[in-house]
Amino acid sequence: MKRTAPDPADTDAWNAYLAEGNATQARKRVAADVLLRDPSGRVLLVNPTYKPGWDLPGGMAEANEPPEEAVRRELMEELGARVTPLRLLVVDWVAPHGPWDDQLAFVFDGGTLDQEQADRLRPRDDELSEAAFVTTAEATGRLRDRVRRRFEHALRALDAGQPQYLHDGAPLR
């Protein structure tokens, strides 16, 4: 049975009521990746050790961490790179699959590194075995289907100057 809302003027009762509602709300997993390029226009991919296939650099957001902060943190932890996301390219709602609940996956534009910055990128922890700048054609060949679709839409969003909202890697029609 639904509880009657208390008077918002009673701050403690109101906050307790809101906290109870918050505790019953769905939680979403959030991933945040970045499209990062070198001066030749190649894109950075990483090869995670904990799952098959290549991926865009980035990772999972921690509790209450904004997606753009997750990108900054993950790139520093995994590659020793200080990257400031420039703009949002893609938000992809990923349906539940296997043991996983649904997820929101963000892709940000990380801009273009100068050659010296690009040359210094190396995996810094045991989550990555490799990092490589590759052509977009090579990237589409290395990325798993879901990530490949998101990557291709991120490239389109970069060219169009407008972010895209996807459902499982496909735009809403």
Side-chain angles (χ1 to χ4, degrees), residues 32-148:
D33 295 333
V34 68
L35 186 62
L36 195 60
R37 297 166 306 283
D38 72 2
S40 301
R42 297 177 305 167
V43 295
L44 180 64
L45 296 185
V46 295
N47 193 359
T49 57
Y50 55 88
K51 63 182 179 180
W54 287 75
D55 209 344
L56 293 171
M60 299 303 292
E62 295 177 352
N64 300 313
E65 181 181 40
E68 72 279 5
E69 288 296 323
V71 165
R72 286 185 191 108
R73 178 185 50 75
E74 288 283 349
L75 267 67
M76 179 52 71
E77 290 173 3
E78 295 179 353
L79 295 166
R82 290 190 195 283
V83 173
T84 300
L86 302 174
R87 62 185 166 129
L88 178 66
L89 297 174
V90 168
V91 176
D92 187 10
W93 178 79
V94 180
H97 57 283
W100 300 107
D101 290 333
D102 68 335
Q103 172 186 28
L104 292 173
F106 293 78
V107 179
F108 293 94
D109 177 10
T112 302
L113 298 177
D114 65 36
Q115 194 61 54
E116 183 181 324
Q117 292 170 310
D119 290 343
R120 284 195 315 258
L121 289 183
R122 301 274 182 281
R124 307 278 182 189
D125 66 18
D126 60 359
E127 288 188 24
L128 301 179
S129 63
E130 301 173 75
F133 283 96
V134 298
T135 66
T136 56
E138 289 172 309
T140 59
R142 290 187 187 194
L143 295 170
R144 292 165 292 126
D145 287 345
R146 180 175 282 125
V147 177
R148 179 186 41 75

Side-chain angles (χ1 to χ4, degrees), residues 5-24:
D7 181 354
D10 181 349
T11 305
D12 290 339
W14 181 251
N15 284 339
Y17 173 76
L18 293 178
E20 183 179 308
N22 183 60
T24 63

